[in-house]
Amino acid sequence: MEATVFKPPSDWAEEVFNGNCVGMLYKVHALNRNHSDLLALQCLVQLAALSGPTINDEAPMLAYMAETIRHLAAFRTESIHVHEIVSLSSIVFNMITTHPTPLFEKLEETVLKSFIETIAALIMASARSAAQEEAAQEEDKVFEESFEKLLDAWCRLRFKFELLLKGTPSVAELIRQYCLSVFMTYLQCHLFPSDGIRSTTANGMVCTDDDEEYEELDEDDRDRFHDVLMWIGMCGRVDVIQSLNITAKLMEDRVALLVKSVQQMASNQPVTAYRQIHEDLHWLLLISINLLCEPNEDDRALIPEDLFDYASSDAVGDEISVQYILSLGSSQSPANDHIARLLVAVLRLCQIENDAFQAGFVHLLSPQVGSSLMFWLSEFASAYVMPREADYWKLSVRLILLFGGDSTLAPWLIEFCVAKIGSNLAVWLTEEKVLQDTARLLLTLTQNRDRSTALFNMASFLTIAEKVATNVPPVATMPSGARKMLAEAVVLVTSAKADSERKEQFWNMIFSNFSQKLDAIIGQEELVAQRYTERVISEVCAAFEGFIGFSKASRLFNAQMLFTHLLPRFEQSVKILDIYHDYSEVVELVLELYLSTSEHLIRFFDHTELEQLFQSTLAMLQVYAKHSQGRNGLNVEEEQHEDVKLLLQILSKYAGEAILRDDVATGGNATDVVVCGLHILVPIMTLELLQFPDLCTEYYSLLNLLGQLSPKKLCLNLYNETFVALVESVRIGLTQFTSEVAGFCLDTIHSIAIFTSSQETVVDHLIKAVHLFLENLLTNLVSDNFDMDLLISASLAFQALVACDQRFYEEQVNRLLAKQGDAQGQQLLLAAFNEFSPSDFAVNSISAAKTKTKISFSQKFEQFLIQIRRVMCTK
């Protein structure tokens, strides 16, 4: 989330600061609180994002902030209406994200405390209202969205004040207290009574199993609430020991309740609140792991800094924790090691599932909890089990002694996880999400050389690896995504072990099994007749899923060996694509192999290897094109165009790699592939197909990348009809889709215009494109819906287009002037265009434009747009 800043000119300062503007707007709102007309609040939302020259005078700005905070504080004691909370959350968010930290530092301490108390009160009130919203199954999640925005603002506030708070301990203590209150409120909102308030409606009634619908959501809770859970973890870590103690106790209680409930249900005794126990466990798993871990830049879980000093180490305490974990909680409980208590509660939950598996009571378990359990173990293993000390500037001695590479517990935990993975794969056969998360746990265990070495020596892992390599049940019946992850994990483990005969044996077994099956299928004389039989389709899919998993396992230490094994598969993929061109699942797997290679393996290629990959891709594109003749994008089902999206992504990766390498030979080969792909894709990308956001963004991003990589090939190497269709699609993209897409279009236009202006003679199809773009861009600029966030891209495109043909530009300006219905409008519009001088559009100035020149022109362009706005206001 980012605030949309409000940057009025400096002469607005008098009206904003000295006219009691804020107080008047709050008063107007107070008189109309029971009406949904929120114009006054909308004005306050905009004022809260005040920025630019207006705030240069510090004293009135501080008075304005204090006045806003005073009026916000009144809502702490009010019952907030649903139509108010969105605006109130936006006011808070805008103030925190827009106003500089030094301004907050200079607020009086009482004002600052009031602001903190107000935000905390709004967060907790919106959290409780969001819980009621969920219980009532409201379609519009107004309080949920407002809670997310307020929580985001709160966490930014905490970091904004980190330096400030060192000098104001009372404010620091207040934030600490309210962080814990926010954490506890969130816990209560996601737990059923008596520990929580979940499923209580506005009148205080509690929903039971019978009257609450448990629906299958399109998006998993941990994805849907990813940011919220991360921020809640930050809040809890402000007092990490107390938060861990509370969560560990709640987990222990719920696990004990689950044991009792499973036993009662197994003996046909009635059980109340069974589903509530599972829901509580699901949320406790999500909240507790976000308390224990935080993501780094590549979304890998790490130990947070708040736990770097966790629990000073002593020999007796360490041994108690080790024995407590090894005994799964049956020995003496560690008094001050809440991480050990939490871990044991999770491991006991695993054991309960395993016992139920063996007793045939799988139907008594929750797949949702099973999935969250695997996620918890994956994140914990990533951060704590044999942690890479290079990732940290400091680590808790106790955590290193408990879970480090030389510990007793680390290999025991890995073996425990592998055993759990094996049992899950054998039992959760129909639960795709659980299987995906189970495979992800194995993959997480392999993404560390020390853990991989430990895995390589475990018989339980080798059993799983052999099943993956031979594609026998239960692996053979698993979902595609899980099989890819298992293949990736097996390659990572077996390639991490250096100079090992077993390593070579495993590699040969893994690759030969898949390759030989594919060779045998392609070599069958009766393949065309048998290609749609279940056995053949299954083996083809399994082989490509394996190859995709292998390519994702690419690392510096195994890249050469992987490419040697995979290169023949690219040649085979062309034959398979030709045979299965009308079978979408196989087509998508073939394309996904190229995409995965471009994402994971290509960075390690030398020029020769790149050339081999590009040649294979060209051969693949030719086969794809042969079977795509006559295809159009009129089918409105997005999933039926997954192959188009994959192809766009492949071409974008190739173009991006060539740009990164900045190598003439690589760039030439990459652009040949991209141009070949565009000849196929541009005719398919109809307006109907561009309505799908992912496809739309990928398409326009690719055009932009090609414009950066080789404007010459973009302008001259496409067939005429392809170029005309491409230009038309760019014209459409300027106004009909997202701001991001419009930005890509402007950058593509800039590339085409720069190349056109550099030509010594007029190129007919290029000058036609320039005229079309300039006419449309001017029309867009003089409308009142131009997105000012695109100012830089628009200024560059505008300057380059005018430089191509200034006479046409003048004709278009005269056309726009003639359309003005009054003399005043004409004069204002003419004044706007007079911001520019002919030298601004000289070809030599745009072709060698430096940063300073670009900034200067963009400033003129901004003034031009401001003048345009004035014309719009007079109409």
Side-chain angles (χ1 to χ4, degrees), residues 675-686:
V675 167
C676 179
L678 284 177
H679 283 138
I680 301 166
L681 292 170
V682 171
I684 295 173
M685 298 306 294
T686 60

Side-chain angles (χ1 to χ4, degrees), residues 95-284:
M95 286 186 69
I96 290 172
T97 55
T98 305
H99 300 336
T101 301
L103 283 176
F104 286 96
E105 185 176 357
K106 292 175 182 177
L107 287 170
E108 292 181 10
E109 188 171 313
T110 53
V111 175
L112 191 53
K113 285 184 175 180
S114 174
F115 191 42
I116 291 166
E117 289 166 353
T118 299
I119 301 171
L122 289 173
I123 289 173
M124 290 184 281
S126 60
R128 287 187 284 267
S129 295
Q132 293 172 2
E133 211 171 45
E134 185 70 24
Q137 298 181 348
E138 299 283 353
E139 286 188 17
D140 295 329
K141 307 292 186 183
V142 177
F143 281 101
E144 181 184 296
E145 292 168 8
S146 300
F147 168 74
E148 183 175 347
K149 182 171 280 192
L150 286 164
L151 188 60
D152 184 1
W154 176 262
C155 291
R156 292 178 190 235
L157 180 76
R158 182 192 165 201
F159 289 116
K160 187 184 277 276
F161 290 164
E162 272 190 341
L163 293 176
L164 165 66
L165 297 179
K166 291 178 181 177
T168 51
S170 61
V171 176
E173 176 59 21
L174 190 65
I175 284 191
R176 190 197 72 81
Q177 291 173 6
Y178 277 118
C179 275
L180 192 59
S181 297
V182 167
F183 178 79
M184 287 302 303
T185 300
Y186 190 80
L187 261 179
Q188 290 170 350
C189 289
H190 289 82
L191 299 178
F192 287 95
S194 60
D195 292 309
I197 62 168
R198 184 175 174 190
S199 285
T200 57
T201 57
N203 61 8
M205 298 296 291
V206 179
C207 295
T208 65
D209 281 345
D210 296 330
D211 55 33
E212 178 173 359
E213 293 182 17
Y214 287 80
E215 298 182 52
E216 288 290 331
L217 297 175
D218 292 335
E219 192 174 13
D220 188 85
D221 286 331
R222 67 170 178 260
D223 298 323
R224 182 181 168 198
F225 301 110
H226 175 274
D227 290 344
V228 169
L229 287 163
M230 179 179 67
W231 294 326
I232 286 298
M234 290 180 190
C235 289
R237 288 195 297 272
V238 170
D239 191 340
V240 69
I241 299 303
Q242 186 172 351
S243 299
L244 282 171
N245 184 26
I246 291 166
T247 13
K249 179 67 169 65
L250 289 167
M251 275 292 295
E252 289 165 343
D253 290 347
R254 293 309 185 278
V255 170
L257 280 172
L258 182 65
V259 171
K260 183 178 178 181
S261 297
V262 169
Q263 290 172 346
Q264 289 174 333
M265 293 182 75
S267 56
N268 295 320
Q269 297 178 39
V271 176
T272 58
Y274 185 62
R275 283 171 125 169
Q276 281 96 323
I277 296 170
H278 280 139
E279 280 290 306
D280 282 0
L281 283 167
H282 164 66
W283 280 103
L284 284 168

Side-chain angles (χ1 to χ4, degrees), residues 463-688:
T463 299
I464 294 172
E466 287 174 2
K467 290 178 179 178
V468 172
T470 52
N471 191 42
V472 297
V475 174
T477 58
M478 288 176 63
S480 176
R483 286 209 295 249
K484 293 169 195 170
M485 281 188 276
L486 290 176
E488 180 182 354
V490 169
V491 170
L492 279 172
V493 171
T494 53
S495 59
K497 188 75 174 175
D499 301 324
S500 166
E501 287 186 16
R502 280 201 304 156
K503 168 186 168 180
E504 294 299 326
Q505 292 170 358
F506 247 96
W507 269 66
N508 290 331
M509 177 184 72
I510 293 165
F511 281 99
S512 63
N513 274 320
F514 287 112
S515 302
Q516 287 171 7
K517 285 183 179 179
L518 201 57
D519 288 337
I521 290 169
I522 292 174
Q524 288 179 11
E525 292 183 4
E526 66 278 14
L527 175 58
V528 174
Q530 295 184 359
R531 59 180 172 159
Y532 293 131
T533 62
E534 185 177 350
R535 178 190 65 81
V536 174
I537 287 286
S538 174
E539 289 184 355
V540 169
C541 290
F544 276 95
E545 285 161 356
F547 299 147
I548 292 164
F550 302 158
S551 68
K552 289 183 176 182
S554 305
R555 300 294 187 273
L556 182 60
F557 56 81
N558 64 14
Q560 184 60 53
M561 191 180 295
L562 274 171
F563 182 71
T564 301
H565 283 283
L566 284 174
L567 181 59
R569 308 310 138 216
F570 292 116
E571 297 169 6
Q572 287 178 324
S573 72
V574 177
K575 297 176 183 177
I576 290 293
L577 183 63
D578 197 22
I579 295 167
Y580 286 99
H581 61 271
D582 55 351
Y583 198 89
S584 61
E585 185 179 358
V586 175
V587 171
E588 288 165 17
L589 284 171
V590 168
L591 294 176
E592 194 178 341
L593 174 60
Y594 284 87
L595 177 61
S596 180
T597 302
S598 69
E599 288 177 330
H600 302 282
L601 190 55
I602 197 173
R603 73 191 78 164
F604 304 114
F605 285 179
D606 59 25
H607 175 71
T608 302
E609 291 163 340
L610 266 180
E611 175 65 19
Q612 290 174 306
L613 176 63
F614 290 154
Q615 289 302 317
S616 293
T617 307
L618 283 170
M620 178 270 289
L621 288 172
Q622 289 164 1
V623 170
Y624 185 93
K626 180 177 73 173
H627 297 293
S628 297
Q629 291 177 1
R631 177 177 177 177
N632 59 52
L634 296 179
N635 193 308
V636 293
E637 296 296 329
E638 184 174 14
E639 59 271 16
Q640 295 194 11
H641 299 289
E642 182 66 22
D643 58 325
V644 175
K645 187 169 87 170
L646 288 167
L647 198 50
L648 286 166
Q649 291 172 329
I650 293 165
L651 300 177
S652 292
K653 292 294 180 184
Y654 287 178
E657 182 67 22
I659 291 170
L660 282 174
R661 295 198 181 206
D662 194 23
D663 173 74
V664 174
T666 300
N669 293 331
T671 49
D672 287 342
V673 176
V674 174
V675 167
C676 179
L678 284 177
H679 283 138
I680 301 166
L681 292 170
V682 171
I684 295 173
M685 298 306 294
T686 60
L687 183 58
E688 289 78 11

Side-chain angles (χ1 to χ4, degrees), residues 326 385-386 401-418 445 450-451 453-455 457-458 460:
L326 289 173
V385 180
M386 297 185 180
L401 289 172
L402 287 180
F403 306 115
D406 296 328
S407 68
T408 305
L409 270 178
W412 181 86
L413 278 171
I414 292 172
E415 189 135 30
F416 184 97
C417 288
V418 174
L445 291 173
D450 292 336
R451 293 196 300 260
T453 300
L455 280 166
N457 296 314
M458 292 179 183
S460 52

